Amino acid sequence: MTATLDADSVEPGPSKPATRGEIGARRWPSIHSLSIVIPALNEEENIPRVIGTIPREEIAAEGCDLEIIIVDNASNDATAEVATAHGALVYLQPARGYGNAYHTGFAVARGDVIATGDADCTYPFDALPGLLDHMQAGRFDFLSTNRLGRANRNAMKRSHTVGNRVLTAANRGLFHVPFRDSQSGMWIFRRRIWRHLDVRSGGMPFSQEIKNEAYVKGFRCDEVPIEYRPRGGMVKLNAFRDGTRNVSQLAGHRMRARRQLVVVRRLADSIGDGLVPRPTGTTAVLRVDSS
């Protein structure tokens, strides 16, 4: 019998460690709980190493509750059982797709902040405390990571590096985002912003779409370099297929963003003309060039 959960089952709360925050000043005053969401497809060999790199004791010592969520994306191996044995909450997403897995994980995550990464040993979960420091210090809503530095050149195939740079250039050109690695799969963001993001992709384009949405919707964004490590196990990325889907998603997202800009401008004109009451409180900023 597997110890997995359905997304519709009772929502779990983060673990409750003894906290240093009860004694002294907290390292991350605005971050009381952290959810780490990891999609996984046939990663039973990598899961123990991946979970083992998460600095659970350090995070708990800083007064931050932690939950680790593995989204099993219809694996054919013992990914779910292995993840459960290593202390993770496991949710099943039978519809395969990188984005589908994240939609499931984000729906059940309870942390103030959500951190992500792949289950293939490439992302440095041990760097999370430093990334949370950066988020706290800069009061960022969305923090992405850059894998494309020279120090990581041996961890990624040359063709994938070139493809990533081409897609990043397209993202920066269309959305004027600050990100220099549009396809990075490690992000840290405040859970409250998720409900404001119109992220529709069920596949690999999810990664660029969530970054672009966070920036376009006016949230405070940044990017920091990280170590990128050689993959454990079989590579699942299909460069041509996934690259084509990314380009298609970019075009659709750009058109959608321009339509939103038209609506915002019409609303602004109506407010200026006195036809619509001026809203109170904080309003979102839509950062899309009309060109």
mmCIF file of all heavy atoms in Angstrom, residues 166-167 169-175 183 200-201 205-206 208-209 212-213 216 242-260 288-289 291:
data_model
loop_
_atom_site.group_PDB
_atom_site.id
_atom_site.type_symbol
_atom_site.label_atom_id
_atom_site.label_comp_id
_atom_site.label_asym_id
_atom_site.label_seq_id
_atom_site.Cartn_x
_atom_site.Cartn_y
_atom_site.Cartn_z
ATOM 1 N N VAL A 166 18.990 31.313 -26.205
ATOM 2 C CA VAL A 166 18.105 31.801 -27.264
ATOM 3 C C VAL A 166 16.709 32.090 -26.694
ATOM 4 O O VAL A 166 16.115 33.148 -26.948
ATOM 5 C CB VAL A 166 18.016 30.786 -28.418
ATOM 6 C CG1 VAL A 166 16.908 31.164 -29.394
ATOM 7 C CG2 VAL A 166 19.353 30.695 -29.148
ATOM 8 N N LEU A 167 16.191 31.152 -25.906
ATOM 9 C CA LEU A 167 14.868 31.349 -25.310
ATOM 10 C C LEU A 167 14.869 32.521 -24.330
ATOM 11 O O LEU A 167 13.901 33.285 -24.260
ATOM 12 C CB LEU A 167 14.414 30.072 -24.607
ATOM 13 C CG LEU A 167 13.979 28.930 -25.525
ATOM 14 C CD1 LEU A 167 13.767 27.645 -24.728
ATOM 15 C CD2 LEU A 167 12.700 29.291 -26.285
ATOM 16 N N ALA A 169 16.757 35.171 -24.507
ATOM 17 C CA ALA A 169 16.770 36.409 -25.303
ATOM 18 C C ALA A 169 15.370 36.735 -25.807
ATOM 19 O O ALA A 169 14.951 37.910 -25.808
ATOM 20 C CB ALA A 169 17.738 36.260 -26.477
ATOM 21 N N ALA A 170 14.625 35.707 -26.219
ATOM 22 C CA ALA A 170 13.257 35.923 -26.697
ATOM 23 C C ALA A 170 12.362 36.428 -25.563
ATOM 24 O O ALA A 170 11.557 37.350 -25.749
ATOM 25 C CB ALA A 170 12.697 34.633 -27.280
ATOM 26 N N ASN A 171 12.499 35.830 -24.376
ATOM 27 C CA ASN A 171 11.704 36.268 -23.229
ATOM 28 C C ASN A 171 12.015 37.707 -22.853
ATOM 29 O O ASN A 171 11.116 38.510 -22.595
ATOM 30 C CB ASN A 171 11.976 35.348 -22.027
ATOM 31 C CG ASN A 171 11.165 34.071 -22.047
ATOM 32 O OD1 ASN A 171 10.062 34.016 -21.522
ATOM 33 N ND2 ASN A 171 11.710 33.036 -22.660
ATOM 34 N N ARG A 172 13.292 38.044 -22.832
ATOM 35 C CA ARG A 172 13.690 39.401 -22.460
ATOM 36 C C ARG A 172 13.216 40.412 -23.508
ATOM 37 O O ARG A 172 12.818 41.526 -23.167
ATOM 38 C CB ARG A 172 15.213 39.470 -22.296
ATOM 39 C CG ARG A 172 15.697 38.796 -21.015
ATOM 40 C CD ARG A 172 17.224 38.662 -20.989
ATOM 41 N NE ARG A 172 17.897 39.943 -20.973
ATOM 42 C CZ ARG A 172 18.144 40.667 -19.881
ATOM 43 N NH1 ARG A 172 17.741 40.217 -18.692
ATOM 44 N NH2 ARG A 172 18.783 41.821 -19.951
ATOM 45 N N GLY A 173 13.260 40.016 -24.784
ATOM 46 C CA GLY A 173 12.827 40.913 -25.834
ATOM 47 C C GLY A 173 11.327 41.173 -25.821
ATOM 48 O O GLY A 173 10.872 42.290 -26.043
ATOM 49 N N LEU A 174 10.548 40.132 -25.510
ATOM 50 C CA LEU A 174 9.088 40.259 -25.554
ATOM 51 C C LEU A 174 8.494 40.836 -24.272
ATOM 52 O O LEU A 174 7.490 41.553 -24.311
ATOM 53 C CB LEU A 174 8.454 38.895 -25.829
ATOM 54 C CG LEU A 174 8.623 38.341 -27.256
ATOM 55 C CD1 LEU A 174 8.090 36.918 -27.326
ATOM 56 C CD2 LEU A 174 7.907 39.224 -28.269
ATOM 57 N N PHE A 175 9.103 40.520 -23.126
ATOM 58 C CA PHE A 175 8.509 40.934 -21.854
ATOM 59 C C PHE A 175 9.379 41.897 -21.048
ATOM 60 O O PHE A 175 8.956 42.354 -19.993
ATOM 61 C CB PHE A 175 8.206 39.694 -20.997
ATOM 62 C CG PHE A 175 7.082 38.853 -21.535
ATOM 63 C CD1 PHE A 175 7.340 37.773 -22.366
ATOM 64 C CD2 PHE A 175 5.773 39.152 -21.233
ATOM 65 C CE1 PHE A 175 6.308 36.998 -22.873
ATOM 66 C CE2 PHE A 175 4.727 38.386 -21.733
ATOM 67 C CZ PHE A 175 4.995 37.312 -22.564
ATOM 68 N N GLN A 183 14.694 29.673 -18.310
ATOM 69 C CA GLN A 183 14.260 28.286 -18.164
ATOM 70 C C GLN A 183 14.677 27.657 -16.836
ATOM 71 O O GLN A 183 14.433 26.469 -16.619
ATOM 72 C CB GLN A 183 14.821 27.451 -19.331
ATOM 73 C CG GLN A 183 14.507 27.997 -20.704
ATOM 74 C CD GLN A 183 13.028 28.201 -20.942
ATOM 75 O OE1 GLN A 183 12.228 27.285 -20.757
ATOM 76 N NE2 GLN A 183 12.645 29.414 -21.351
ATOM 77 N N ARG A 200 -0.820 29.170 -17.326
ATOM 78 C CA ARG A 200 -1.696 28.172 -17.938
ATOM 79 C C ARG A 200 -0.985 26.913 -18.430
ATOM 80 O O ARG A 200 -1.625 25.892 -18.653
ATOM 81 C CB ARG A 200 -2.437 28.807 -19.122
ATOM 82 C CG ARG A 200 -3.225 30.048 -18.741
ATOM 83 C CD ARG A 200 -3.960 30.641 -19.930
ATOM 84 N NE ARG A 200 -4.654 31.876 -19.573
ATOM 85 C CZ ARG A 200 -5.447 32.551 -20.391
ATOM 86 N NH1 ARG A 200 -5.646 32.105 -21.627
ATOM 87 N NH2 ARG A 200 -6.039 33.663 -19.988
ATOM 88 N N SER A 201 0.294 26.979 -18.629
ATOM 89 C CA SER A 201 1.006 25.856 -19.238
ATOM 90 C C SER A 201 1.006 24.623 -18.343
ATOM 91 O O SER A 201 1.193 24.716 -17.131
ATOM 92 C CB SER A 201 2.455 26.256 -19.542
ATOM 93 O OG SER A 201 3.170 25.143 -20.037
ATOM 94 N N PRO A 205 6.966 24.896 -20.694
ATOM 95 C CA PRO A 205 6.880 26.366 -20.739
ATOM 96 C C PRO A 205 6.420 26.998 -19.430
ATOM 97 O O PRO A 205 6.516 28.217 -19.267
ATOM 98 C CB PRO A 205 5.864 26.622 -21.861
ATOM 99 C CG PRO A 205 5.988 25.433 -22.759
ATOM 100 C CD PRO A 205 6.206 24.282 -21.816
ATOM 101 N N PHE A 206 5.933 26.197 -18.501
ATOM 102 C CA PHE A 206 5.516 26.722 -17.199
ATOM 103 C C PHE A 206 6.622 27.557 -16.565
ATOM 104 O O PHE A 206 6.368 28.587 -15.938
ATOM 105 C CB PHE A 206 5.153 25.547 -16.285
ATOM 106 C CG PHE A 206 4.615 25.940 -14.927
ATOM 107 C CD1 PHE A 206 3.252 25.982 -14.696
ATOM 108 C CD2 PHE A 206 5.481 26.252 -13.885
ATOM 109 C CE1 PHE A 206 2.748 26.339 -13.441
ATOM 110 C CE2 PHE A 206 4.987 26.608 -12.631
ATOM 111 C CZ PHE A 206 3.632 26.651 -12.411
ATOM 112 N N GLN A 208 9.098 29.483 -17.853
ATOM 113 C CA GLN A 208 9.216 30.857 -18.343
ATOM 114 C C GLN A 208 7.938 31.647 -18.075
ATOM 115 O O GLN A 208 7.969 32.847 -17.799
ATOM 116 C CB GLN A 208 9.540 30.881 -19.835
ATOM 117 C CG GLN A 208 8.451 30.333 -20.744
ATOM 118 C CD GLN A 208 8.879 30.238 -22.192
ATOM 119 O OE1 GLN A 208 10.061 30.260 -22.502
ATOM 120 N NE2 GLN A 208 7.924 30.129 -23.097
ATOM 121 N N GLU A 209 6.793 30.965 -18.123
ATOM 122 C CA GLU A 209 5.516 31.653 -17.958
ATOM 123 C C GLU A 209 5.364 32.213 -16.549
ATOM 124 O O GLU A 209 4.896 33.348 -16.378
ATOM 125 C CB GLU A 209 4.355 30.709 -18.273
ATOM 126 C CG GLU A 209 3.006 31.404 -18.292
ATOM 127 C CD GLU A 209 1.866 30.484 -18.699
ATOM 128 O OE1 GLU A 209 2.061 29.254 -18.741
ATOM 129 O OE2 GLU A 209 0.769 31.006 -18.969
ATOM 130 N N ASN A 212 7.606 35.359 -16.257
ATOM 131 C CA ASN A 212 7.070 36.490 -17.011
ATOM 132 C C ASN A 212 5.812 37.053 -16.359
ATOM 133 O O ASN A 212 5.620 38.272 -16.299
ATOM 134 C CB ASN A 212 6.787 36.083 -18.456
ATOM 135 C CG ASN A 212 8.054 35.750 -19.222
ATOM 136 O OD1 ASN A 212 9.141 36.208 -18.868
ATOM 137 N ND2 ASN A 212 7.926 34.955 -20.273
ATOM 138 N N GLU A 213 4.951 36.159 -15.873
ATOM 139 C CA GLU A 213 3.724 36.601 -15.210
ATOM 140 C C GLU A 213 4.035 37.394 -13.942
ATOM 141 O O GLU A 213 3.419 38.425 -13.677
ATOM 142 C CB GLU A 213 2.851 35.400 -14.851
ATOM 143 C CG GLU A 213 1.835 35.040 -15.891
ATOM 144 C CD GLU A 213 0.712 36.073 -15.998
ATOM 145 O OE1 GLU A 213 -0.094 36.207 -15.066
ATOM 146 O OE2 GLU A 213 0.647 36.752 -17.033
ATOM 147 N N VAL A 216 5.324 40.807 -15.149
ATOM 148 C CA VAL A 216 4.293 41.591 -15.838
ATOM 149 C C VAL A 216 3.241 42.094 -14.854
ATOM 150 O O VAL A 216 2.744 43.218 -14.981
ATOM 151 C CB VAL A 216 3.638 40.743 -16.947
ATOM 152 C CG1 VAL A 216 2.333 41.364 -17.420
ATOM 153 C CG2 VAL A 216 4.598 40.576 -18.119
ATOM 154 N N ASP A 242 10.419 20.505 -26.728
ATOM 155 C CA ASP A 242 10.169 21.457 -25.654
ATOM 156 C C ASP A 242 10.499 22.883 -26.072
ATOM 157 O O ASP A 242 9.832 23.837 -25.661
ATOM 158 C CB ASP A 242 10.976 21.067 -24.406
ATOM 159 C CG ASP A 242 10.485 19.753 -23.800
ATOM 160 O OD1 ASP A 242 9.264 19.510 -23.836
ATOM 161 O OD2 ASP A 242 11.319 18.984 -23.302
ATOM 162 N N GLY A 243 11.537 23.041 -26.910
ATOM 163 C CA GLY A 243 11.869 24.370 -27.404
ATOM 164 C C GLY A 243 10.757 24.950 -28.255
ATOM 165 O O GLY A 243 10.404 26.135 -28.137
ATOM 166 N N THR A 244 10.183 24.097 -29.113
ATOM 167 C CA THR A 244 9.066 24.535 -29.959
ATOM 168 C C THR A 244 7.862 24.952 -29.126
ATOM 169 O O THR A 244 7.209 25.968 -29.391
ATOM 170 C CB THR A 244 8.666 23.396 -30.920
ATOM 171 O OG1 THR A 244 9.788 23.041 -31.735
ATOM 172 C CG2 THR A 244 7.518 23.821 -31.817
ATOM 173 N N ARG A 245 7.571 24.178 -28.093
ATOM 174 C CA ARG A 245 6.444 24.500 -27.226
ATOM 175 C C ARG A 245 6.695 25.800 -26.459
ATOM 176 O O ARG A 245 5.758 26.575 -26.218
ATOM 177 C CB ARG A 245 6.194 23.345 -26.252
ATOM 178 C CG ARG A 245 5.627 22.096 -26.933
ATOM 179 C CD ARG A 245 5.495 20.935 -25.966
ATOM 180 N NE ARG A 245 4.924 19.771 -26.629
ATOM 181 C CZ ARG A 245 4.786 18.571 -26.058
ATOM 182 N NH1 ARG A 245 5.180 18.396 -24.801
ATOM 183 N NH2 ARG A 245 4.265 17.565 -26.720
ATOM 184 N N ASN A 246 7.942 26.039 -26.080
ATOM 185 C CA ASN A 246 8.269 27.281 -25.388
ATOM 186 C C ASN A 246 8.032 28.494 -26.284
ATOM 187 O O ASN A 246 7.496 29.516 -25.835
ATOM 188 C CB ASN A 246 9.726 27.255 -24.914
ATOM 189 C CG ASN A 246 9.886 26.630 -23.544
ATOM 190 O OD1 ASN A 246 9.694 27.269 -22.525
ATOM 191 N ND2 ASN A 246 10.250 25.359 -23.536
ATOM 192 N N VAL A 247 8.436 28.382 -27.537
ATOM 193 C CA VAL A 247 8.244 29.490 -28.475
ATOM 194 C C VAL A 247 6.759 29.751 -28.685
ATOM 195 O O VAL A 247 6.300 30.910 -28.700
ATOM 196 C CB VAL A 247 8.942 29.192 -29.816
ATOM 197 C CG1 VAL A 247 8.560 30.233 -30.861
ATOM 198 C CG2 VAL A 247 10.457 29.163 -29.637
ATOM 199 N N SER A 248 5.976 28.681 -28.843
ATOM 200 C CA SER A 248 4.534 28.822 -29.041
ATOM 201 C C SER A 248 3.885 29.475 -27.817
ATOM 202 O O SER A 248 3.039 30.368 -27.950
ATOM 203 C CB SER A 248 3.913 27.448 -29.301
ATOM 204 O OG SER A 248 2.507 27.538 -29.403
ATOM 205 N N GLN A 249 4.294 29.045 -26.620
ATOM 206 C CA GLN A 249 3.730 29.619 -25.401
ATOM 207 C C GLN A 249 4.081 31.100 -25.279
ATOM 208 O O GLN A 249 3.251 31.918 -24.863
ATOM 209 C CB GLN A 249 4.228 28.853 -24.169
ATOM 210 C CG GLN A 249 3.571 29.263 -22.849
ATOM 211 C CD GLN A 249 4.147 30.531 -22.257
ATOM 212 O OE1 GLN A 249 5.342 30.794 -22.366
ATOM 213 N NE2 GLN A 249 3.287 31.323 -21.619
ATOM 214 N N LEU A 250 5.307 31.458 -25.644
ATOM 215 C CA LEU A 250 5.741 32.851 -25.592
ATOM 216 C C LEU A 250 4.840 33.748 -26.440
ATOM 217 O O LEU A 250 4.411 34.815 -25.997
ATOM 218 C CB LEU A 250 7.185 32.970 -26.092
ATOM 219 C CG LEU A 250 8.307 32.941 -25.067
ATOM 220 C CD1 LEU A 250 9.649 33.071 -25.777
ATOM 221 C CD2 LEU A 250 8.134 34.046 -24.043
ATOM 222 N N ALA A 251 4.568 33.293 -27.663
ATOM 223 C CA ALA A 251 3.737 34.082 -28.569
ATOM 224 C C ALA A 251 2.333 34.265 -27.995
ATOM 225 O O ALA A 251 1.771 35.367 -27.999
ATOM 226 C CB ALA A 251 3.675 33.413 -29.934
ATOM 227 N N GLY A 252 1.760 33.177 -27.482
ATOM 228 C CA GLY A 252 0.419 33.253 -26.915
ATOM 229 C C GLY A 252 0.360 34.133 -25.675
ATOM 230 O O GLY A 252 -0.578 34.908 -25.490
ATOM 231 N N HIS A 253 1.374 34.031 -24.847
ATOM 232 C CA HIS A 253 1.407 34.822 -23.611
ATOM 233 C C HIS A 253 1.562 36.307 -23.926
ATOM 234 O O HIS A 253 0.939 37.163 -23.285
ATOM 235 C CB HIS A 253 2.558 34.343 -22.724
ATOM 236 C CG HIS A 253 2.508 34.867 -21.329
ATOM 237 N ND1 HIS A 253 3.520 34.643 -20.421
ATOM 238 C CD2 HIS A 253 1.577 35.611 -20.671
ATOM 239 C CE1 HIS A 253 3.204 35.223 -19.272
ATOM 240 N NE2 HIS A 253 2.036 35.822 -19.399
ATOM 241 N N ARG A 254 2.369 36.612 -24.928
ATOM 242 C CA ARG A 254 2.562 38.008 -25.307
ATOM 243 C C ARG A 254 1.249 38.629 -25.801
ATOM 244 O O ARG A 254 0.887 39.749 -25.424
ATOM 245 C CB ARG A 254 3.628 38.095 -26.402
ATOM 246 C CG ARG A 254 3.802 39.469 -27.033
ATOM 247 C CD ARG A 254 4.258 40.510 -26.050
ATOM 248 N NE ARG A 254 4.398 41.816 -26.692
ATOM 249 C CZ ARG A 254 4.762 42.923 -26.077
ATOM 250 N NH1 ARG A 254 5.048 42.899 -24.795
ATOM 251 N NH2 ARG A 254 4.857 44.055 -26.744
ATOM 252 N N MET A 255 0.519 37.883 -26.608
ATOM 253 C CA MET A 255 -0.767 38.380 -27.107
ATOM 254 C C MET A 255 -1.738 38.581 -25.957
ATOM 255 O O MET A 255 -2.469 39.573 -25.900
ATOM 256 C CB MET A 255 -1.333 37.397 -28.133
ATOM 257 C CG MET A 255 -0.548 37.320 -29.426
ATOM 258 S SD MET A 255 -1.184 36.050 -30.560
ATOM 259 C CE MET A 255 -2.837 36.669 -30.842
ATOM 260 N N ARG A 256 -1.741 37.647 -25.014
ATOM 261 C CA ARG A 256 -2.631 37.739 -23.856
ATOM 262 C C ARG A 256 -2.288 38.963 -23.006
ATOM 263 O O ARG A 256 -3.171 39.683 -22.542
ATOM 264 C CB ARG A 256 -2.488 36.458 -23.030
ATOM 265 C CG ARG A 256 -3.553 36.265 -21.970
ATOM 266 C CD ARG A 256 -3.513 34.847 -21.428
ATOM 267 N NE ARG A 256 -2.518 34.650 -20.398
ATOM 268 C CZ ARG A 256 -1.585 33.726 -20.410
ATOM 269 N NH1 ARG A 256 -1.471 32.901 -21.448
ATOM 270 N NH2 ARG A 256 -0.746 33.594 -19.410
ATOM 271 N N ALA A 257 -0.989 39.191 -22.815
ATOM 272 C CA ALA A 257 -0.554 40.331 -22.007
ATOM 273 C C ALA A 257 -0.925 41.656 -22.658
ATOM 274 O O ALA A 257 -1.304 42.610 -21.982
ATOM 275 C CB ALA A 257 0.957 40.258 -21.790
ATOM 276 N N ARG A 258 -0.841 41.722 -23.983
ATOM 277 C CA ARG A 258 -1.209 42.962 -24.681
ATOM 278 C C ARG A 258 -2.706 43.231 -24.547
ATOM 279 O O ARG A 258 -3.123 44.385 -24.393
ATOM 280 C CB ARG A 258 -0.808 42.886 -26.150
ATOM 281 C CG ARG A 258 0.701 42.902 -26.362
ATOM 282 C CD ARG A 258 1.063 43.058 -27.811
ATOM 283 N NE ARG A 258 0.723 44.386 -28.307
ATOM 284 C CZ ARG A 258 0.971 44.806 -29.539
ATOM 285 N NH1 ARG A 258 1.556 43.998 -30.410
ATOM 286 N NH2 ARG A 258 0.643 46.014 -29.934
ATOM 287 N N ARG A 259 -3.521 42.174 -24.587
ATOM 288 C CA ARG A 259 -4.962 42.360 -24.407
ATOM 289 C C ARG A 259 -5.252 42.871 -22.994
ATOM 290 O O ARG A 259 -6.122 43.724 -22.805
ATOM 291 C CB ARG A 259 -5.705 41.040 -24.655
ATOM 292 C CG ARG A 259 -5.771 40.642 -26.122
ATOM 293 C CD ARG A 259 -6.818 39.570 -26.351
ATOM 294 N NE ARG A 259 -6.498 38.337 -25.668
ATOM 295 C CZ ARG A 259 -5.787 37.348 -26.209
ATOM 296 N NH1 ARG A 259 -5.325 37.464 -27.452
ATOM 297 N NH2 ARG A 259 -5.549 36.260 -25.528
ATOM 298 N N GLN A 260 -4.520 42.356 -22.000
ATOM 299 C CA GLN A 260 -4.697 42.831 -20.630
ATOM 300 C C GLN A 260 -4.322 44.302 -20.516
ATOM 301 O O GLN A 260 -4.972 45.072 -19.801
ATOM 302 C CB GLN A 260 -3.845 41.993 -19.673
ATOM 303 C CG GLN A 260 -4.336 40.563 -19.511
ATOM 304 C CD GLN A 260 -3.375 39.711 -18.709
ATOM 305 O OE1 GLN A 260 -2.206 40.057 -18.536
ATOM 306 N NE2 GLN A 260 -3.850 38.583 -18.219
ATOM 307 N N VAL A 288 3.937 45.744 -19.323
ATOM 308 C CA VAL A 288 4.090 45.210 -20.669
ATOM 309 C C VAL A 288 4.218 46.359 -21.636
ATOM 310 O O VAL A 288 3.364 47.242 -21.676
ATOM 311 C CB VAL A 288 2.875 44.334 -21.075
ATOM 312 C CG1 VAL A 288 3.092 43.754 -22.448
ATOM 313 C CG2 VAL A 288 2.665 43.219 -20.079
ATOM 314 N N ASP A 289 5.281 46.356 -22.405
ATOM 315 C CA ASP A 289 5.476 47.406 -23.415
ATOM 316 C C ASP A 289 4.442 47.209 -24.502
ATOM 317 O O ASP A 289 4.161 46.108 -24.947
ATOM 318 C CB ASP A 289 6.886 47.271 -23.998
ATOM 319 C CG ASP A 289 7.208 48.414 -24.940
ATOM 320 O OD1 ASP A 289 6.488 49.415 -24.915
ATOM 321 O OD2 ASP A 289 8.189 48.283 -25.689
ATOM 322 N N SER A 291 4.667 48.188 -27.533
ATOM 323 C CA SER A 291 5.270 48.132 -28.866
ATOM 324 C C SER A 291 5.173 46.751 -29.473
ATOM 325 O O SER A 291 5.020 45.782 -28.758
ATOM 326 C CB SER A 291 6.728 48.569 -28.795
ATOM 327 O OG SER A 291 7.462 47.721 -27.943
#
